[in-house]
Amino acid sequence: MTYQDHITQTDQLIRSYSGTWDGISAESVARMRLQNRFQTGLDIARYTAAIMRRDMAAYDADPANYTQSLGCWHGFIGQQKMISIKKHFGSTERRYLYLSGWMIAALRSEFGPLPDQSMHEKTSVPALIEELYTFLRQADARELGMMFREIDAARAAGNQIEEQRLLHAIDDHQTHIVPIIADIDAGFGNAEATYLLAKKMIEAGACALQIENQVSDEKQCGHQDGKVTVPHEDFLAKVRACRYAFLELGVEDGIIVTRTDSLGAGLTKQIAVSNQAGDLGDQYNSFLDCEEIDPATARNGDVILNRDGKLLRPKRLPSNLFQFRAGTGEDRCVLDCIASLENGADLLWIETEKPHIEQIAGMVDRIREVIPNAKLVYNNSPSFNWTLNFRQQVFDAWSAEGKDVSAYDRAKLMSVDYDGTELADDADERIRTFQKDSAARAGIFHHLITLPTYHTAALSTDNLAKEYFGDAGMLGYVKGVQRKEIREGIACVKHQNMSGSDIGDDHKEYFAGEAALKAGGAHNTMNQFAA
């Protein structure tokens, strides 16, 4: 519905009340409606799920159409990210938000900072989704509100051409609302608990849920040790719980991202149930580290497997966990991914220990032998030392090619002494093109950085603290922050406007007319930033 359609429709409604609604402006109502396009989180989930499905199809047609996101731990951070994307690129197309369970644990728990072990309140996850979309909707309201003011100014100046241009711009306005891929960790309990939390996350607006195959009560960050996986049937029950939640709420094309931590997880809490040779349970158990035993030597409490007529005793640790054979991680990852896609997953996430395209591609090639359109979400993790990893990859590639690397110490390639060298420049170029190259070679549909705004907040605060509390004093803020905001066109330099002051003034005028007491008058110091 166009801006003018909203006005016409509302005007007819007002007239139907025989003069009792004459104090209501049809155009003001039209403006408020357009500034509040999404009425519920489910409206958002349905809208963004359709975006992701279109993007997935576009990637299948051409891997240059990969998508990206950054992890955001506060609504304001997500809002500023999308405002910046629109400013620099003119469109939010193929740019999403990521909601990281790690950052919720570290920054949003009432317990205070926690490790990434699912100890935070599960309700904090849907709360952050709702907060992110509240701020993105406010970004829409702010941007449209400024355009409405420009229309009023064009009318006052009698500039009909500018007025028509603005009316078309409003009808073509692109929302800041984009898909969120939201981390539900290992499901926070059994399948019923996963279903209940999934519903809350979807109702808050999430169109994509990312769930991992670790045990809920022993969950660890994918880049730490001590990870324990669960048998496939246990995990797939939670995948189905997420799908039931989507379908119950009418988000029929919701996205499920299944993450496997098997590459770094050498332990399982339980032995899978197997009903016949070769089923999923049997395949899971086949990776267990076992020793063949004579029945006469069986001990009290032993768990015994029968395989091909042999009796095998899985090695059990003092923690009561069972261990997998060393070197089976990639095979288990491939099996996890195929099983997930064959049982309702839409996208895969393989948590690796380093950003190496051929390592990822080797697994994806095997998965695609069974599921040709398999696609990955990949964590471009800050837990990787990107500089060292890629310099070592270049060092190794040069060595394999017979190129002289005697000027470099492989173990010390992180050193600033190597900055600006041919090797460092080659590594930086590989980092720059990593997303494009791995999208083409390794089936990565979506690239995200889980914790970037955690690190940028720390870095920028450190820089400001060093300058402001040092000799620079107030110049540290002015030169390092405000002057850059003004010159680089950062929207929140007008922080009163960003917080909604002008939107509030507009509403006051709608409600009270000329009697409205508005904040944006001549004495508002934000006018100093008008230029």
Side-chain angles (χ1 to χ4, degrees):
M1 190 183 297
T2 68
Y3 181 47
Q4 190 58 53
D5 288 339
H6 276 290
I7 296 172
T8 301
Q9 184 187 78
T10 308
D11 184 62
Q12 291 171 352
L13 176 65
I14 291 169
R15 290 175 185 274
S16 72
Y17 278 81
S18 305
T20 59
W21 282 19
D22 284 357
I24 302 294
S25 161
E27 184 161 24
S28 296
V29 173
R31 291 180 176 187
M32 294 175 79
R33 284 180 174 176
L34 289 171
Q35 286 175 297
N36 188 25
R37 174 178 168 184
F38 300 95
Q39 304 300 309
T40 70
L42 287 176
D43 291 338
I44 292 171
R46 294 185 188 105
Y47 170 78
T48 53
I51 290 174
M52 279 196 72
R53 291 290 178 180
R54 289 196 298 270
D55 287 348
M56 290 161 66
Y59 174 83
D60 286 339
D62 182 355
N65 294 318
Y66 62 89
T67 58
Q68 300 168 289
S69 66
L70 296 174
C72 299
W73 54 271
H74 191 279
F76 177 73
I77 300 295
Q79 177 198 64
Q80 294 304 301
K81 176 188 137 180
M82 299 317 300
I83 287 174
S84 295
I85 286 171
K86 286 193 74 174
K87 180 183 75 172
H88 291 296
F89 305 104
S91 170
T92 61
E93 185 179 356
R94 300 202 306 276
R95 279 98 177 190
Y96 305 166
L97 294 181
Y98 179 66
L99 184 150
S100 161
W102 191 102
M103 284 209 283
I104 286 185
L107 300 172
R108 301 301 299 260
S109 171
E110 292 184 10
F111 295 111
L114 293 171
D116 184 20
Q117 295 172 352
S118 293
M119 294 189 291
H120 55 278
E121 308 85 358
K122 64 173 68 176
T123 52
S124 59
V125 185
L128 179 54
I129 297 169
E130 183 175 6
E131 177 181 291
L132 284 162
Y133 281 127
T134 296
F135 274 79
L136 294 183
R137 289 165 65 194
Q138 194 261 6
D140 280 357
R142 170 186 169 272
E143 188 171 67
L144 285 164
M146 292 190 294
M147 295 168 75
F148 295 147
R149 287 178 173 223
E150 290 175 5
I151 285 177
D152 293 340
R155 287 173 178 168
N159 189 341
Q160 294 183 351
I161 293 176
E162 177 64 4
E163 179 186 356
Q164 288 302 310
R165 184 193 70 79
L166 288 163
L167 289 172
H168 286 303
I170 288 167
D171 289 340
D172 294 336
H173 177 259
Q174 185 185 50
T175 177
H176 293 81
I177 298 293
V178 296
I180 288 178
I181 298 176
D183 187 356
I184 197 170
D185 280 18
F188 286 88
N190 61 14
E192 175 70 6
T194 301
Y195 155 77
L196 293 171
L197 179 55
K199 279 184 64 176
K200 288 291 184 185
M201 293 169 70
I202 297 162
E203 288 169 341
C207 73
L209 304 179
Q210 170 228 321
I211 187 165
E212 60 203 65
N213 68 336
Q214 292 191 49
V215 232
S216 290
D217 56 351
E218 299 284 353
K219 178 257 186 316
Q220 287 278 13
C221 173
H223 294 281
Q224 292 186 310
D225 207 353
K227 293 180 289 296
V228 182
T229 63
V230 297
H232 295 95
E233 289 300 343
D234 293 39
F235 181 60
L236 295 175
K238 294 184 177 183
V239 173
R240 287 190 289 271
C242 291
R243 182 64 66 202
Y244 271 107
F246 275 124
L247 294 174
E248 177 185 342
L249 295 171
V251 185
E252 297 182 359
D253 50 0
I255 314 297
I256 298 174
V257 182
T258 52
R259 170 177 142 182
T260 172
D261 281 286
S262 290
L263 197 61
L267 304 170
T268 183
K269 196 168 188 178
Q270 64 199 83
I271 292 173
V273 173
S274 174
N275 295 311
Q276 60 184 23
D279 64 13
L280 267 179
D282 187 45
Q283 291 180 72
Y284 187 80
N285 294 338
S286 72
F287 295 113
L288 291 169
D289 191 2
C290 300
E291 55 186 351
E292 186 176 352
I293 65 164
D294 184 312
T297 65
R299 301 186 297 258
N300 185 49
D302 270 353
V303 173
I304 307 296
L305 299 179
N306 184 344
R307 178 166 295 122
D308 299 327
K310 298 178 181 178
L311 295 182
L312 304 176
R313 178 168 53 208
K315 294 180 181 177
R316 182 187 284 175
L317 304 180
S319 60
N320 204 32
L321 300 172
F322 298 94
Q323 68 184 32
F324 292 110
R325 296 193 313 277
T328 62
E330 287 203 8
D331 290 338
R332 286 183 284 123
C333 274
V334 171
L335 178 61
D336 294 344
C337 292
I338 293 171
S340 291
L341 292 174
E342 289 181 337
N343 288 273
D346 301 291
L347 295 168
L348 304 170
W349 174 318
I350 299 176
E351 194 76 306
T352 66
E353 81 287 359
K354 59 182 178 293
H356 194 291
I357 292 175
E358 285 306 315
Q359 178 200 31
I360 305 163
M363 289 183 278
V364 172
D365 287 346
R366 294 172 62 189
I367 297 164
R368 284 185 162 178
E369 289 175 6
V370 181
I371 315 287
N373 69 337
K375 293 178 283 295
L376 267 64
V377 171
Y378 188 71
N379 177 9
N380 292 220
S381 177
S383 293
F384 303 145
N385 185 331
W386 287 77
T387 301
L388 180 60
N389 266 293
F390 275 83
R391 288 182 180 182
Q392 288 181 339
Q393 287 181 39
V394 173
F395 181 96
D396 294 341
W398 284 7
S399 297
E401 295 165 6
K403 191 169 182 176
D404 182 14
V405 292
S406 60
Y408 303 97
D409 183 340
R410 190 181 187 281
K412 298 179 180 179
L413 288 174
M414 183 65 198
S415 171
V416 68
D417 296 339
Y418 294 121
D419 290 0
T421 63
E422 183 185 0
L423 184 145
D425 290 345
D426 189 341
D428 281 355
E429 178 61 14
R430 294 185 189 210
I431 294 171
R432 186 185 72 81
T433 63
F434 173 80
Q435 295 188 341
K436 175 177 68 71
D437 295 342
S438 57
R441 172 67 186 95
I444 299 178
F445 158 73
H446 185 76
H447 283 278
L448 60 90
I449 307 178
T450 44
L451 319 176
T453 53
Y454 177 90
H455 292 279
T456 54
L459 180 61
S460 61
T461 302
D462 180 78
N463 289 334
L464 176 59
K466 177 180 66 176
E467 296 298 319
Y468 177 74
F469 293 103
D471 292 339
M474 191 58 196
L475 182 61
Y477 172 76
V478 171
K479 190 175 180 180
V481 181
Q482 190 182 74
R483 195 175 294 168
K484 289 184 177 181
E485 285 182 303
I486 295 169
R487 291 176 176 172
E488 294 177 21
I490 305 300
C492 69
V493 70
K494 295 185 180 182
H495 46 260
Q496 308 286 16
N497 166 271
M498 184 57 64
S499 70
S501 179
D502 289 342
I503 295 172
D505 275 359
D506 292 339
H507 291 171
K508 290 175 184 178
E509 191 168 5
Y510 299 164
F511 306 154
E514 293 182 358
L517 181 63
K518 297 191 289 187
H523 299 294
N524 188 322
T525 58
M526 285 288 99
N527 293 330
Q528 296 173 29
F529 300 97

